């Protein structure tokens, strides 16, 4: 019951849910008149850290021509049809289990994170779910021109990186955030901790220290920039602590 206090109603109910073992994906769509168009497929990078089993290290885009994406897209469109979702944006989370895809949740909205992912989507596909949603309601011809699925290969390389802490202490400085901003792939950064805060080790999504969006035309440069962030986390140079 206490875990509900992280987000949502306080003490309203106990929800029991089947444990789904596998890899969790996001499948974003925009629909118009029952026609569903996939805007992006994402995969969560979740790993054990600091005693937590499901620490989120980020999200990466999955090419629509990969077999797993094709299976997820077909499954998700079946879910939308079953729920009679005909118009607007949807953000669906699906777990790929050993027995196939299994629905986690459907959200009748665009991808979240306050739209920080939009420059990444624009660079990788040439459009965004937000723009596609506006077209679905306001410009039928523009919606019709949108592809059924995102282009393969992507037009650029990019990903969302969640920064995690392996340290605890009173924050005196955050040199790691300045270093992130200097990376060649840097687009944006949301800081969740600041000078003067008490830093805790990241054990779940609520404990990430920041979220940055990286985009680059060169996949190797992107890979190098992600590695630089991970190195700072592990070696403890992201923060200066009391």
């Amino acid at each position: 019951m206490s875990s509900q206090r992280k987000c949502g109603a306080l003490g309203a109910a106990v929800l029991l849910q089947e444990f789904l073992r596998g890899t969790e994906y996001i499948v974003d769509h925009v629909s118009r008149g029952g026609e569903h168009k996939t805007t992006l497929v994402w995969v969560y990078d979740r790993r054990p850290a600091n005693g937590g089993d499901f620490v989120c290290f980020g999200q990466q885009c999955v090419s629509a021509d990969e077999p797993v994406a094709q299976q997820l897209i077909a499954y998700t469109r079946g879910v939308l049809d079953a729920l009679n979702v005909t118009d607007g944006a949807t953000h669906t989370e699906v777990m790929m289990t050993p027995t196939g895809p299994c629905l986690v949740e459907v959200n009748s909205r665009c991808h979240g994170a306050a739209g920080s992912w939009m420059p990444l989507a624009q660079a990788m596909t040439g459009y965004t779910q937000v723009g596609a949603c506006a077209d679905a309601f306001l410009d039928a011809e523009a919606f019709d021109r949108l592809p059924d699925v995102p282009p393969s290969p992507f037009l650029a390389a990019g990903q969302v990186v969640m920064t995690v802490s392996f340290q605890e202490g009173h924050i005196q400085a955050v040199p790691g955030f300045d270093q992130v901003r200097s990376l060649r792939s840097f687009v944006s950064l949301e800081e969740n901790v600041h000078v003067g805060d008490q830093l805790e080790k990241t054990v779940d999504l609520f404990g990430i220290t920041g979220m940055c969006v990286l985009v680059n035309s060169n996949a190797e440069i992107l890979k190098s920039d992600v590695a630089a962030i991970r190195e700072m986390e592990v070696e403890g140079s992201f923060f200066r602590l009391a």
Side-chain angles (χ1 to χ4, degrees), residues 15-52:
L15 175 67
L16 298 181
Q17 181 176 347
E18 173 189 9
F19 179 77
L20 301 176
R21 189 177 303 278
T23 302
E24 189 171 3
Y25 292 82
I26 299 167
V27 189
D28 290 332
H29 277 92
V30 173
S31 306
R32 183 178 187 276
E35 180 184 6
H36 311 302
K37 294 194 174 186
T38 310
T39 55
L40 265 176
V41 177
W42 311 72
V43 60
Y44 281 113
D45 178 8
R46 285 197 172 121
R47 298 176 248 152
N50 298 316

PDB file of all heavy atoms in Angstrom, residues 15-52:
ATOM      1  N   LEU A  15      -3.674  -3.432  -5.807  1.00  0.00           N
ATOM      2  CA  LEU A  15      -3.761  -3.985  -7.158  1.00  0.00           C
ATOM      3  C   LEU A  15      -2.773  -5.130  -7.281  1.00  0.00           C
ATOM      4  O   LEU A  15      -1.580  -4.961  -7.033  1.00  0.00           O
ATOM      5  CB  LEU A  15      -3.445  -2.907  -8.200  1.00  0.00           C
ATOM      6  CG  LEU A  15      -3.392  -3.376  -9.661  1.00  0.00           C
ATOM      7  CD1 LEU A  15      -4.778  -3.810 -10.122  1.00  0.00           C
ATOM      8  CD2 LEU A  15      -2.867  -2.264 -10.558  1.00  0.00           C
ATOM      9  N   LEU A  16      -3.276  -6.300  -7.651  1.00  0.00           N
ATOM     10  CA  LEU A  16      -2.421  -7.452  -7.910  1.00  0.00           C
ATOM     11  C   LEU A  16      -2.280  -7.623  -9.409  1.00  0.00           C
ATOM     12  O   LEU A  16      -3.263  -7.566 -10.141  1.00  0.00           O
ATOM     13  CB  LEU A  16      -3.025  -8.723  -7.309  1.00  0.00           C
ATOM     14  CG  LEU A  16      -3.200  -8.729  -5.788  1.00  0.00           C
ATOM     15  CD1 LEU A  16      -3.776 -10.064  -5.337  1.00  0.00           C
ATOM     16  CD2 LEU A  16      -1.887  -8.467  -5.087  1.00  0.00           C
ATOM     17  N   GLN A  17      -1.052  -7.814  -9.860  1.00  0.00           N
ATOM     18  CA  GLN A  17      -0.798  -7.917 -11.290  1.00  0.00           C
ATOM     19  C   GLN A  17       0.195  -9.038 -11.544  1.00  0.00           C
ATOM     20  O   GLN A  17       1.154  -9.221 -10.787  1.00  0.00           O
ATOM     21  CB  GLN A  17      -0.248  -6.587 -11.820  1.00  0.00           C
ATOM     22  CG  GLN A  17       0.030  -6.565 -13.312  1.00  0.00           C
ATOM     23  CD  GLN A  17       0.484  -5.178 -13.784  1.00  0.00           C
ATOM     24  OE1 GLN A  17       0.371  -4.200 -13.069  1.00  0.00           O
ATOM     25  NE2 GLN A  17       1.001  -5.118 -14.990  1.00  0.00           N
ATOM     26  N   GLU A  18      -0.031  -9.775 -12.609  1.00  0.00           N
ATOM     27  CA  GLU A  18       0.890 -10.829 -13.021  1.00  0.00           C
ATOM     28  C   GLU A  18       2.287 -10.253 -13.240  1.00  0.00           C
ATOM     29  O   GLU A  18       2.446  -9.185 -13.832  1.00  0.00           O
ATOM     30  CB  GLU A  18       0.369 -11.434 -14.334  1.00  0.00           C
ATOM     31  CG  GLU A  18       1.305 -12.430 -14.988  1.00  0.00           C
ATOM     32  CD  GLU A  18       0.849 -12.823 -16.385  1.00  0.00           C
ATOM     33  OE1 GLU A  18      -0.104 -12.198 -16.903  1.00  0.00           O
ATOM     34  OE2 GLU A  18       1.439 -13.749 -16.955  1.00  0.00           O
ATOM     35  N   PHE A  19       3.297 -10.956 -12.750  1.00  0.00           N
ATOM     36  CA  PHE A  19       4.664 -10.526 -13.017  1.00  0.00           C
ATOM     37  C   PHE A  19       5.051 -10.954 -14.425  1.00  0.00           C
ATOM     38  O   PHE A  19       4.963 -12.138 -14.776  1.00  0.00           O
ATOM     39  CB  PHE A  19       5.641 -11.128 -12.011  1.00  0.00           C
ATOM     40  CG  PHE A  19       7.069 -10.723 -12.258  1.00  0.00           C
ATOM     41  CD1 PHE A  19       7.514  -9.467 -11.905  1.00  0.00           C
ATOM     42  CD2 PHE A  19       7.964 -11.589 -12.874  1.00  0.00           C
ATOM     43  CE1 PHE A  19       8.825  -9.072 -12.144  1.00  0.00           C
ATOM     44  CE2 PHE A  19       9.270 -11.213 -13.118  1.00  0.00           C
ATOM     45  CZ  PHE A  19       9.703  -9.949 -12.752  1.00  0.00           C
ATOM     46  N   LEU A  20       5.453  -9.981 -15.224  1.00  0.00           N
ATOM     47  CA  LEU A  20       5.822 -10.245 -16.616  1.00  0.00           C
ATOM     48  C   LEU A  20       7.346 -10.229 -16.738  1.00  0.00           C
ATOM     49  O   LEU A  20       7.971  -9.181 -16.548  1.00  0.00           O
ATOM     50  CB  LEU A  20       5.209  -9.192 -17.538  1.00  0.00           C
ATOM     51  CG  LEU A  20       3.682  -9.087 -17.506  1.00  0.00           C
ATOM     52  CD1 LEU A  20       3.212  -7.942 -18.380  1.00  0.00           C
ATOM     53  CD2 LEU A  20       3.045 -10.400 -17.951  1.00  0.00           C
ATOM     54  N   ARG A  21       7.910 -11.359 -17.043  1.00  0.00           N
ATOM     55  CA  ARG A  21       9.361 -11.457 -17.195  1.00  0.00           C
ATOM     56  C   ARG A  21       9.719 -11.244 -18.661  1.00  0.00           C
ATOM     57  O   ARG A  21       9.235 -11.959 -19.539  1.00  0.00           O
ATOM     58  CB  ARG A  21       9.853 -12.828 -16.722  1.00  0.00           C
ATOM     59  CG  ARG A  21      11.375 -12.941 -16.647  1.00  0.00           C
ATOM     60  CD  ARG A  21      11.791 -14.289 -16.102  1.00  0.00           C
ATOM     61  NE  ARG A  21      11.207 -14.551 -14.798  1.00  0.00           N
ATOM     62  CZ  ARG A  21      11.695 -14.086 -13.649  1.00  0.00           C
ATOM     63  NH1 ARG A  21      12.777 -13.329 -13.656  1.00  0.00           N
ATOM     64  NH2 ARG A  21      11.110 -14.364 -12.498  1.00  0.00           N
ATOM     65  N   GLY A  22      10.549 -10.246 -18.925  1.00  0.00           N
ATOM     66  CA  GLY A  22      10.939  -9.976 -20.298  1.00  0.00           C
ATOM     67  C   GLY A  22      11.472  -8.577 -20.461  1.00  0.00           C
ATOM     68  O   GLY A  22      11.977  -7.970 -19.520  1.00  0.00           O
ATOM     69  N   THR A  23      11.357  -8.037 -21.665  1.00  0.00           N
ATOM     70  CA  THR A  23      11.835  -6.697 -21.998  1.00  0.00           C
ATOM     71  C   THR A  23      10.637  -5.818 -22.316  1.00  0.00           C
ATOM     72  O   THR A  23       9.756  -6.204 -23.090  1.00  0.00           O
ATOM     73  CB  THR A  23      12.780  -6.739 -23.212  1.00  0.00           C
ATOM     74  OG1 THR A  23      13.884  -7.609 -22.902  1.00  0.00           O
ATOM     75  CG2 THR A  23      13.304  -5.358 -23.543  1.00  0.00           C
ATOM     76  N   GLU A  24      10.613  -4.618 -21.728  1.00  0.00           N
ATOM     77  CA  GLU A  24       9.466  -3.732 -21.917  1.00  0.00           C
ATOM     78  C   GLU A  24       9.725  -2.737 -23.052  1.00  0.00           C
ATOM     79  O   GLU A  24      10.799  -2.141 -23.138  1.00  0.00           O
ATOM     80  CB  GLU A  24       9.146  -2.973 -20.629  1.00  0.00           C
ATOM     81  CG  GLU A  24       7.832  -2.211 -20.698  1.00  0.00           C
ATOM     82  CD  GLU A  24       7.398  -1.637 -19.374  1.00  0.00           C
ATOM     83  OE1 GLU A  24       8.149  -1.781 -18.382  1.00  0.00           O
ATOM     84  OE2 GLU A  24       6.312  -1.041 -19.318  1.00  0.00           O
ATOM     85  N   TYR A  25       8.711  -2.575 -23.881  1.00  0.00           N
ATOM     86  CA  TYR A  25       8.774  -1.674 -25.026  1.00  0.00           C
ATOM     87  C   TYR A  25       7.661  -0.635 -24.943  1.00  0.00           C
ATOM     88  O   TYR A  25       6.665  -0.815 -24.245  1.00  0.00           O
ATOM     89  CB  TYR A  25       8.603  -2.462 -26.335  1.00  0.00           C
ATOM     90  CG  TYR A  25       9.752  -3.383 -26.670  1.00  0.00           C
ATOM     91  CD1 TYR A  25       9.843  -4.642 -26.092  1.00  0.00           C
ATOM     92  CD2 TYR A  25      10.742  -2.997 -27.573  1.00  0.00           C
ATOM     93  CE1 TYR A  25      10.891  -5.498 -26.401  1.00  0.00           C
ATOM     94  CE2 TYR A  25      11.793  -3.847 -27.891  1.00  0.00           C
ATOM     95  CZ  TYR A  25      11.859  -5.097 -27.299  1.00  0.00           C
ATOM     96  OH  TYR A  25      12.907  -5.929 -27.612  1.00  0.00           O
ATOM     97  N   ILE A  26       7.849   0.449 -25.690  1.00  0.00           N
ATOM     98  CA  ILE A  26       6.817   1.473 -25.889  1.00  0.00           C
ATOM     99  C   ILE A  26       6.484   1.500 -27.370  1.00  0.00           C
ATOM    100  O   ILE A  26       7.389   1.506 -28.212  1.00  0.00           O
ATOM    101  CB  ILE A  26       7.325   2.868 -25.460  1.00  0.00           C
ATOM    102  CG1 ILE A  26       7.698   2.888 -23.980  1.00  0.00           C
ATOM    103  CG2 ILE A  26       6.281   3.944 -25.762  1.00  0.00           C
ATOM    104  CD1 ILE A  26       8.486   4.127 -23.573  1.00  0.00           C
ATOM    105  N   VAL A  27       5.198   1.516 -27.681  1.00  0.00           N
ATOM    106  CA  VAL A  27       4.767   1.610 -29.069  1.00  0.00           C
ATOM    107  C   VAL A  27       3.830   2.797 -29.189  1.00  0.00           C
ATOM    108  O   VAL A  27       2.703   2.772 -28.684  1.00  0.00           O
ATOM    109  CB  VAL A  27       4.062   0.315 -29.535  1.00  0.00           C
ATOM    110  CG1 VAL A  27       3.821   0.373 -31.037  1.00  0.00           C
ATOM    111  CG2 VAL A  27       4.886  -0.916 -29.178  1.00  0.00           C
ATOM    112  N   ASP A  28       4.302   3.870 -29.825  1.00  0.00           N
ATOM    113  CA  ASP A  28       3.528   5.107 -29.965  1.00  0.00           C
ATOM    114  C   ASP A  28       2.789   5.127 -31.298  1.00  0.00           C
ATOM    115  O   ASP A  28       3.379   4.822 -32.346  1.00  0.00           O
ATOM    116  CB  ASP A  28       4.439   6.331 -29.864  1.00  0.00           C
ATOM    117  CG  ASP A  28       4.984   6.541 -28.458  1.00  0.00           C
ATOM    118  OD1 ASP A  28       4.305   6.140 -27.498  1.00  0.00           O
ATOM    119  OD2 ASP A  28       6.077   7.118 -28.325  1.00  0.00           O
ATOM    120  N   HIS A  29       1.523   5.492 -31.244  1.00  0.00           N
ATOM    121  CA  HIS A  29       0.692   5.572 -32.447  1.00  0.00           C
ATOM    122  C   HIS A  29      -0.080   6.881 -32.494  1.00  0.00           C
ATOM    123  O   HIS A  29      -0.271   7.546 -31.468  1.00  0.00           O
ATOM    124  CB  HIS A  29      -0.339   4.428 -32.472  1.00  0.00           C
ATOM    125  CG  HIS A  29       0.183   3.138 -32.993  1.00  0.00           C
ATOM    126  ND1 HIS A  29       0.724   2.170 -32.168  1.00  0.00           N
ATOM    127  CD2 HIS A  29       0.239   2.624 -34.256  1.00  0.00           C
ATOM    128  CE1 HIS A  29       1.093   1.127 -32.899  1.00  0.00           C
ATOM    129  NE2 HIS A  29       0.810   1.376 -34.164  1.00  0.00           N
ATOM    130  N   VAL A  30      -0.526   7.222 -33.677  1.00  0.00           N
ATOM    131  CA  VAL A  30      -1.565   8.232 -33.885  1.00  0.00           C
ATOM    132  C   VAL A  30      -2.605   7.613 -34.809  1.00  0.00           C
ATOM    133  O   VAL A  30      -2.253   6.983 -35.815  1.00  0.00           O
ATOM    134  CB  VAL A  30      -1.005   9.528 -34.497  1.00  0.00           C
ATOM    135  CG1 VAL A  30      -2.147  10.480 -34.852  1.00  0.00           C
ATOM    136  CG2 VAL A  30      -0.041  10.209 -33.525  1.00  0.00           C
ATOM    137  N   SER A  31      -3.875   7.774 -34.450  1.00  0.00           N
ATOM    138  CA  SER A  31      -4.966   7.147 -35.200  1.00  0.00           C
ATOM    139  C   SER A  31      -5.927   8.199 -35.725  1.00  0.00           C
ATOM    140  O   SER A  31      -6.134   9.252 -35.098  1.00  0.00           O
ATOM    141  CB  SER A  31      -5.731   6.160 -34.307  1.00  0.00           C
ATOM    142  OG  SER A  31      -4.854   5.213 -33.725  1.00  0.00           O
ATOM    143  N   ARG A  32      -6.521   7.886 -36.867  1.00  0.00           N
ATOM    144  CA  ARG A  32      -7.560   8.744 -37.447  1.00  0.00           C
ATOM    145  C   ARG A  32      -8.573   7.856 -38.154  1.00  0.00           C
ATOM    146  O   ARG A  32      -8.232   7.108 -39.057  1.00  0.00           O
ATOM    147  CB  ARG A  32      -6.965   9.757 -38.432  1.00  0.00           C
ATOM    148  CG  ARG A  32      -8.007  10.720 -39.010  1.00  0.00           C
ATOM    149  CD  ARG A  32      -7.373  11.739 -39.956  1.00  0.00           C
ATOM    150  NE  ARG A  32      -8.351  12.733 -40.350  1.00  0.00           N
ATOM    151  CZ  ARG A  32      -9.226  12.573 -41.346  1.00  0.00           C
ATOM    152  NH1 ARG A  32      -9.220  11.454 -42.055  1.00  0.00           N
ATOM    153  NH2 ARG A  32     -10.097  13.521 -41.634  1.00  0.00           N
ATOM    154  N   GLY A  33      -9.816   7.917 -37.694  1.00  0.00           N
ATOM    155  CA  GLY A  33     -10.860   7.109 -38.306  1.00  0.00           C
ATOM    156  C   GLY A  33     -10.584   5.619 -38.269  1.00  0.00           C
ATOM    157  O   GLY A  33     -10.980   4.883 -39.168  1.00  0.00           O
ATOM    158  N   GLY A  34      -9.888   5.171 -37.228  1.00  0.00           N
ATOM    159  CA  GLY A  34      -9.565   3.756 -37.091  1.00  0.00           C
ATOM    160  C   GLY A  34      -8.297   3.317 -37.784  1.00  0.00           C
ATOM    161  O   GLY A  34      -7.899   2.158 -37.673  1.00  0.00           O
ATOM    162  N   GLU A  35      -7.637   4.229 -38.521  1.00  0.00           N
ATOM    163  CA  GLU A  35      -6.352   3.915 -39.150  1.00  0.00           C
ATOM    164  C   GLU A  35      -5.234   4.280 -38.185  1.00  0.00           C
ATOM    165  O   GLU A  35      -5.124   5.433 -37.753  1.00  0.00           O
ATOM    166  CB  GLU A  35      -6.188   4.687 -40.457  1.00  0.00           C
ATOM    167  CG  GLU A  35      -4.861   4.409 -41.155  1.00  0.00           C
ATOM    168  CD  GLU A  35      -4.643   5.253 -42.397  1.00  0.00           C
ATOM    169  OE1 GLU A  35      -5.478   6.146 -42.670  1.00  0.00           O
ATOM    170  OE2 GLU A  35      -3.635   5.025 -43.096  1.00  0.00           O
ATOM    171  N   HIS A  36      -4.410   3.309 -37.846  1.00  0.00           N
ATOM    172  CA  HIS A  36      -3.334   3.506 -36.878  1.00  0.00           C
ATOM    173  C   HIS A  36      -1.995   3.651 -37.587  1.00  0.00           C
ATOM    174  O   HIS A  36      -1.626   2.811 -38.418  1.00  0.00           O
ATOM    175  CB  HIS A  36      -3.263   2.321 -35.912  1.00  0.00           C
ATOM    176  CG  HIS A  36      -4.563   1.933 -35.305  1.00  0.00           C
ATOM    177  ND1 HIS A  36      -5.339   2.806 -34.559  1.00  0.00           N
ATOM    178  CD2 HIS A  36      -5.256   0.752 -35.344  1.00  0.00           C
ATOM    179  CE1 HIS A  36      -6.427   2.180 -34.146  1.00  0.00           C
ATOM    180  NE2 HIS A  36      -6.408   0.941 -34.615  1.00  0.00           N
ATOM    181  N   LYS A  37      -1.260   4.698 -37.240  1.00  0.00           N
ATOM    182  CA  LYS A  37       0.082   4.887 -37.780  1.00  0.00           C
ATOM    183  C   LYS A  37       1.086   4.920 -36.625  1.00  0.00           C
ATOM    184  O   LYS A  37       0.909   5.658 -35.660  1.00  0.00           O
ATOM    185  CB  LYS A  37       0.163   6.169 -38.600  1.00  0.00           C
ATOM    186  CG  LYS A  37      -0.688   6.110 -39.872  1.00  0.00           C
ATOM    187  CD  LYS A  37      -0.362   7.215 -40.846  1.00  0.00           C
ATOM    188  CE  LYS A  37      -1.128   7.039 -42.160  1.00  0.00           C
ATOM    189  NZ  LYS A  37      -0.731   8.021 -43.188  1.00  0.00           N
ATOM    190  N   THR A  38       2.125   4.105 -36.759  1.00  0.00           N
ATOM    191  CA  THR A  38       3.150   4.014 -35.724  1.00  0.00           C
ATOM    192  C   THR A  38       4.123   5.180 -35.883  1.00  0.00           C
ATOM    193  O   THR A  38       4.673   5.389 -36.973  1.00  0.00           O
ATOM    194  CB  THR A  38       3.923   2.693 -35.839  1.00  0.00           C
ATOM    195  OG1 THR A  38       3.002   1.607 -35.922  1.00  0.00           O
ATOM    196  CG2 THR A  38       4.846   2.508 -34.660  1.00  0.00           C
ATOM    197  N   THR A  39       4.347   5.926 -34.802  1.00  0.00           N
ATOM    198  CA  THR A  39       5.287   7.050 -34.872  1.00  0.00           C
ATOM    199  C   THR A  39       6.677   6.663 -34.363  1.00  0.00           C
ATOM    200  O   THR A  39       7.672   7.138 -34.891  1.00  0.00           O
ATOM    201  CB  THR A  39       4.759   8.265 -34.107  1.00  0.00           C
ATOM    202  OG1 THR A  39       4.451   7.890 -32.758  1.00  0.00           O
ATOM    203  CG2 THR A  39       3.502   8.815 -34.785  1.00  0.00           C
ATOM    204  N   LEU A  40       6.763   5.809 -33.344  1.00  0.00           N
ATOM    205  CA  LEU A  40       8.062   5.290 -32.897  1.00  0.00           C
ATOM    206  C   LEU A  40       7.837   4.062 -32.014  1.00  0.00           C
ATOM    207  O   LEU A  40       6.829   3.970 -31.308  1.00  0.00           O
ATOM    208  CB  LEU A  40       8.871   6.329 -32.110  1.00  0.00           C
ATOM    209  CG  LEU A  40       9.906   7.155 -32.888  1.00  0.00           C
ATOM    210  CD1 LEU A  40      10.556   8.196 -31.992  1.00  0.00           C
ATOM    211  CD2 LEU A  40      10.974   6.270 -33.523  1.00  0.00           C
ATOM    212  N   VAL A  41       8.796   3.167 -32.051  1.00  0.00           N
ATOM    213  CA  VAL A  41       8.876   2.057 -31.112  1.00  0.00           C
ATOM    214  C   VAL A  41      10.132   2.271 -30.275  1.00  0.00           C
ATOM    215  O   VAL A  41      11.199   2.550 -30.810  1.00  0.00           O
ATOM    216  CB  VAL A  41       8.950   0.697 -31.836  1.00  0.00           C
ATOM    217  CG1 VAL A  41       9.101  -0.441 -30.831  1.00  0.00           C
ATOM    218  CG2 VAL A  41       7.718   0.484 -32.715  1.00  0.00           C
ATOM    219  N   TRP A  42       9.976   2.161 -28.955  1.00  0.00           N
ATOM    220  CA  TRP A  42      11.081   2.373 -28.033  1.00  0.00           C
ATOM    221  C   TRP A  42      11.285   1.119 -27.186  1.00  0.00           C
ATOM    222  O   TRP A  42      10.346   0.358 -26.963  1.00  0.00           O
ATOM    223  CB  TRP A  42      10.804   3.524 -27.065  1.00  0.00           C
ATOM    224  CG  TRP A  42      10.321   4.807 -27.642  1.00  0.00           C
ATOM    225  CD1 TRP A  42       9.088   5.071 -28.179  1.00  0.00           C
ATOM    226  CD2 TRP A  42      11.049   6.033 -27.720  1.00  0.00           C
ATOM    227  NE1 TRP A  42       9.010   6.384 -28.578  1.00  0.00           N
ATOM    228  CE2 TRP A  42      10.191   7.006 -28.311  1.00  0.00           C
ATOM    229  CE3 TRP A  42      12.334   6.422 -27.327  1.00  0.00           C
ATOM    230  CZ2 TRP A  42      10.587   8.320 -28.524  1.00  0.00           C
ATOM    231  CZ3 TRP A  42      12.725   7.731 -27.534  1.00  0.00           C
ATOM    232  CH2 TRP A  42      11.858   8.665 -28.134  1.00  0.00           C
ATOM    233  N   VAL A  43      12.496   0.957 -26.671  1.00  0.00           N
ATOM    234  CA  VAL A  43      12.760  -0.107 -25.713  1.00  0.00           C
ATOM    235  C   VAL A  43      13.400   0.516 -24.474  1.00  0.00           C
ATOM    236  O   VAL A  43      14.282   1.379 -24.580  1.00  0.00           O
ATOM    237  CB  VAL A  43      13.665  -1.211 -26.306  1.00  0.00           C
ATOM    238  CG1 VAL A  43      15.025  -0.659 -26.733  1.00  0.00           C
ATOM    239  CG2 VAL A  43      13.828  -2.359 -25.321  1.00  0.00           C
ATOM    240  N   TYR A  44      12.912   0.102 -23.313  1.00  0.00           N
ATOM    241  CA  TYR A  44      13.487   0.570 -22.047  1.00  0.00           C
ATOM    242  C   TYR A  44      14.816  -0.135 -21.790  1.00  0.00           C
ATOM    243  O   TYR A  44      14.946  -1.346 -22.016  1.00  0.00           O
ATOM    244  CB  TYR A  44      12.560   0.251 -20.882  1.00  0.00           C
ATOM    245  CG  TYR A  44      11.382   1.191 -20.714  1.00  0.00           C
ATOM    246  CD1 TYR A  44      10.083   0.743 -20.926  1.00  0.00           C
ATOM    247  CD2 TYR A  44      11.570   2.511 -20.307  1.00  0.00           C
ATOM    248  CE1 TYR A  44       9.000   1.588 -20.745  1.00  0.00           C
ATOM    249  CE2 TYR A  44      10.497   3.362 -20.126  1.00  0.00           C
ATOM    250  CZ  TYR A  44       9.210   2.899 -20.351  1.00  0.00           C
ATOM    251  OH  TYR A  44       8.146   3.740 -20.172  1.00  0.00           O
ATOM    252  N   ASP A  45      15.786   0.617 -21.303  1.00  0.00           N
ATOM    253  CA  ASP A  45      17.045   0.050 -20.826  1.00  0.00           C
ATOM    254  C   ASP A  45      16.945  -0.015 -19.308  1.00  0.00           C
ATOM    255  O   ASP A  45      17.276   0.936 -18.609  1.00  0.00           O
ATOM    256  CB  ASP A  45      18.221   0.923 -21.267  1.00  0.00           C
ATOM    257  CG  ASP A  45      19.557   0.400 -20.753  1.00  0.00           C
ATOM    258  OD1 ASP A  45      19.594  -0.705 -20.181  1.00  0.00           O
ATOM    259  OD2 ASP A  45      20.575   1.114 -20.916  1.00  0.00           O
ATOM    260  N   ARG A  46      16.442  -1.136 -18.799  1.00  0.00           N
ATOM    261  CA  ARG A  46      16.269  -1.323 -17.359  1.00  0.00           C
ATOM    262  C   ARG A  46      17.195  -2.430 -16.889  1.00  0.00           C
ATOM    263  O   ARG A  46      17.217  -3.519 -17.453  1.00  0.00           O
ATOM    264  CB  ARG A  46      14.811  -1.667 -17.031  1.00  0.00           C
ATOM    265  CG  ARG A  46      13.876  -0.474 -17.108  1.00  0.00           C
ATOM    266  CD  ARG A  46      12.570  -0.766 -16.390  1.00  0.00           C
ATOM    267  NE  ARG A  46      11.755   0.434 -16.305  1.00  0.00           N
ATOM    268  CZ  ARG A  46      10.529   0.551 -16.810  1.00  0.00           C
ATOM    269  NH1 ARG A  46       9.977  -0.472 -17.433  1.00  0.00           N
ATOM    270  NH2 ARG A  46       9.848   1.669 -16.673  1.00  0.00           N
ATOM    271  N   ARG A  47      17.944  -2.127 -15.799  1.00  0.00           N
ATOM    272  CA  ARG A  47      18.921  -3.084 -15.290  1.00  0.00           C
ATOM    273  C   ARG A  47      18.977  -3.015 -13.770  1.00  0.00           C
ATOM    274  O   ARG A  47      18.581  -2.002 -13.189  1.00  0.00           O
ATOM    275  CB  ARG A  47      20.318  -2.754 -15.823  1.00  0.00           C
ATOM    276  CG  ARG A  47      20.477  -2.827 -17.313  1.00  0.00           C
ATOM    277  CD  ARG A  47      21.876  -2.371 -17.716  1.00  0.00           C
ATOM    278  NE  ARG A  47      21.868  -1.111 -18.437  1.00  0.00           N
ATOM    279  CZ  ARG A  47      22.865  -0.243 -18.441  1.00  0.00           C
ATOM    280  NH1 ARG A  47      23.939  -0.476 -17.721  1.00  0.00           N
ATOM    281  NH2 ARG A  47      22.786   0.864 -19.153  1.00  0.00           N
ATOM    282  N   PRO A  48      19.489  -4.050 -13.118  1.00  0.00           N
ATOM    283  CA  PRO A  48      19.700  -3.983 -11.670  1.00  0.00           C
ATOM    284  C   PRO A  48      20.787  -2.961 -11.337  1.00  0.00           C
ATOM    285  O   PRO A  48      21.786  -2.834 -12.054  1.00  0.00           O
ATOM    286  CB  PRO A  48      20.143  -5.403 -11.294  1.00  0.00           C
ATOM    287  CG  PRO A  48      19.686  -6.268 -12.426  1.00  0.00           C
ATOM    288  CD  PRO A  48      19.770  -5.402 -13.656  1.00  0.00           C
ATOM    289  N   ALA A  49      20.596  -2.233 -10.237  1.00  0.00           N
ATOM    290  CA  ALA A  49      21.609  -1.283  -9.754  1.00  0.00           C
ATOM    291  C   ALA A  49      21.290  -0.918  -8.309  1.00  0.00           C
ATOM    292  O   ALA A  49      20.117  -0.704  -7.961  1.00  0.00           O
ATOM    293  CB  ALA A  49      21.639  -0.015 -10.608  1.00  0.00           C
ATOM    294  N   ASN A  50      22.306  -0.882  -7.489  1.00  0.00           N
ATOM    295  CA  ASN A  50      22.174  -0.437  -6.101  1.00  0.00           C
ATOM    296  C   ASN A  50      21.128  -1.228  -5.310  1.00  0.00           C
ATOM    297  O   ASN A  50      20.487  -0.699  -4.400  1.00  0.00           O
ATOM    298  CB  ASN A  50      21.823   1.057  -6.050  1.00  0.00           C
ATOM    299  CG  ASN A  50      22.878   1.940  -6.667  1.00  0.00           C
ATOM    300  OD1 ASN A  50      24.072   1.754  -6.430  1.00  0.00           O
ATOM    301  ND2 ASN A  50      22.453   2.901  -7.487  1.00  0.00           N
ATOM    302  N   GLY A  51      20.923  -2.472  -5.670  1.00  0.00           N
ATOM    303  CA  GLY A  51      19.935  -3.282  -4.977  1.00  0.00           C
ATOM    304  C   GLY A  51      18.547  -3.213  -5.570  1.00  0.00           C
ATOM    305  O   GLY A  51      17.665  -3.978  -5.185  1.00  0.00           O
ATOM    306  N   GLY A  52      18.328  -2.292  -6.509  1.00  0.00           N
ATOM    307  CA  GLY A  52      17.049  -2.207  -7.205  1.00  0.00           C
ATOM    308  C   GLY A  52      17.092  -3.064  -8.459  1.00  0.00           C
ATOM    309  O   GLY A  52      18.108  -3.113  -9.154  1.00  0.00           O
TER     310      GLY A  52
END
